[in-house]
Amino acid sequence: MDPFLQAAIEEAKLGLSEGGIPIGSVLVHSGIIVGRGHNRRVQKGSVILHGEMDALENAGRRSSAFYSECTLYTTLSPCAMCSGAIVLYRIPRVVIGENQSFMGEEQWLSDHGVQIEIIQDPVCIKLMRDFVANQPSLWAEDIGT
């Protein structure tokens, strides 16, 4: 398995162990993880701390040139909010663990020049399927339904 997707999965599992939603993400620059995050909406009482947003926040303030050399790994297809941040900061590549549980803005990202790679990783799929089955109202809240 790709070590960066594995790191994102570790973040997702950490979020679940904290009582949150099991979605993790890492931002990678030149083969090094520069930002890690997981969905912390529940833990922080936040409206915006999805896994991707948390990883970007934890990467700290960077130049646009820096982001344009990064790859974002996420365990689940990015929502509209996270996709907007990806395009805003011109992150050129996103590796998605799975999109069976939730189909995010992949076409919109592609239309904006972002290279998308979808893995359909069985661990990512199981994490989300189990979570959605056990916490349907929390999941609905997270995706705005």
Side-chain angles (χ1 to χ4, degrees), residues 46-69:
S46 170
V47 70
I48 62 168
L49 277 182
H50 282 188
E52 300 90 340
M53 301 298 276
D54 194 39
L56 289 169
E57 177 71 14
N58 291 328
R61 184 176 163 204
R62 306 287 184 153
S63 71
S64 60
F66 180 88
Y67 287 117
S68 72
E69 298 171 342

Side-chain angles (χ1 to χ4, degrees), residues 101-140:
S101 303
F102 176 79
M103 172 70 74
E105 301 299 323
E106 296 165 18
Q107 185 61 54
W108 187 81
L109 286 166
S110 291
D111 291 346
H112 285 82
V114 179
Q115 177 191 351
I116 302 294
E117 181 181 347
I118 303 162
I119 306 297
Q120 303 301 12
D121 178 78
V123 174
C124 294
I125 293 168
K126 181 169 176 25
L127 273 169
M128 285 309 301
R129 281 198 179 147
D130 290 351
F131 179 79
V132 171
N134 293 323
Q135 299 282 343
S137 61
L138 182 54
W139 174 238

